[in-house]
Structures are given as C-alpha cells and as structure tokens.
Amino acid sequence: MQIPSTRKLATRGGDGFIRLIEQEMPHLTNGTVLVKVHASLVSPGTELSGWHAYRAKQQNPDATASHKPFGYSNAGVVVAVADDVAEYKVGDRVACIGGGFALHTDYALVPHNLCIALPDQVTYDQ
C-alpha cells in the first residue's frame, strides 16, 4: 500500500464549528506506528457534551486561524512501523488510544504503547 502525502483531520475551529482539513502526512518517529483509521470513537460525554460548552465560549470570527485537532480513540490497520517497534508489523489490526494521537483522522501516528492488537473476530467499530 502506498501511503498518501496528506491526511484528512477533524479540527475545532475558533468559531465553535468542526471542520475537516487536509495536512501533510506525519512522519514516523521513534516508537510510533502509522495507522490507517477505519473507525474513530466520538465520546458522548467527553467530546459531545464538552463540545457544546466549548462552542458557546469560542466565538472567534477568525475560524481558520485556530484549527485544533481532537480525538482520542480509533482503530485500523498498521501501514508503517518505526524501526525500533518490534511488536507490530504492517497489516496488523489495532485499537489505539491517547489524546493528541488517536485523532479523528484517516491516518493516525500513534506511540506503539498506546495500541493493542485487535482479535480477528472483533470489528473496528467494536
């Protein structure tokens, strides 16, 4: 699989709205894996409830100046592995956690210790 040069990423805008932006694909760093995301969890408590309060407070008319990525739980397939990561290989199915890492995106760069292998009988959504 060829890895694209950009990824799509959900962000919070300064005007309180969610936007999908495109950004350069992150590069592997020590201890990380790149995951092609198949499912991303939006938490009804942490993200949705908190989002309403955030949106009410954030009314910056310059929405494009403050894109902030968010998300902390997703699942997908490993498409690249840093040289120092031994427990995962390309093609492994994983679930990932971690604010700032397991983002709402199509490709997530996640530290290997924030991933766990998914059994074959478990779907990405589960």
Side-chain angles (χ1 to χ4, degrees):
M1 172 192 185
Q2 185 171 346
I3 299 170
S5 61
T6 61
R7 70 177 179 172
K8 292 177 180 67
L9 180 68
T11 63
R12 297 175 182 164
D15 58 359
F17 288 94
I18 296 172
R19 287 183 171 71
L20 191 63
I21 65 167
E22 195 167 322
Q23 70 174 196
E24 186 176 316
M25 186 67 68
H27 298 286
L28 286 175
T29 56
N30 286 343
T32 62
V33 297
L34 184 64
V35 176
K36 168 69 173 132
V37 175
H38 288 260
S40 186
L41 174 71
V42 175
S43 166
T46 307
E47 290 181 306
L48 292 185
S49 294
W51 184 249
H52 293 294
Y54 175 84
R55 185 170 176 208
K57 292 178 186 176
Q58 301 294 337
Q59 293 302 318
N60 176 0
D62 188 8
T64 59
S66 58
H67 291 289
K68 295 180 181 159
F70 66 105
Y72 62 86
S73 181
N74 60 32
V77 176
V78 174
V79 295
V81 179
D83 291 338
D84 63 339
V85 174
E87 63 265 56
Y88 297 109
K89 65 184 183 319
V90 171
D92 285 348
R93 293 167 14 97
V94 294
C96 309
I97 61 166
F101 299 109
L103 301 170
H104 299 307
T105 182
D106 54 350
Y107 287 89
L109 185 65
V110 184
H112 69 98
N113 61 333
L114 296 180
C115 299
I116 189 164
L118 281 179
D120 290 339
Q121 69 273 18
V122 175
T123 68
Y124 297 114
D125 289 340
Q126 291 172 321

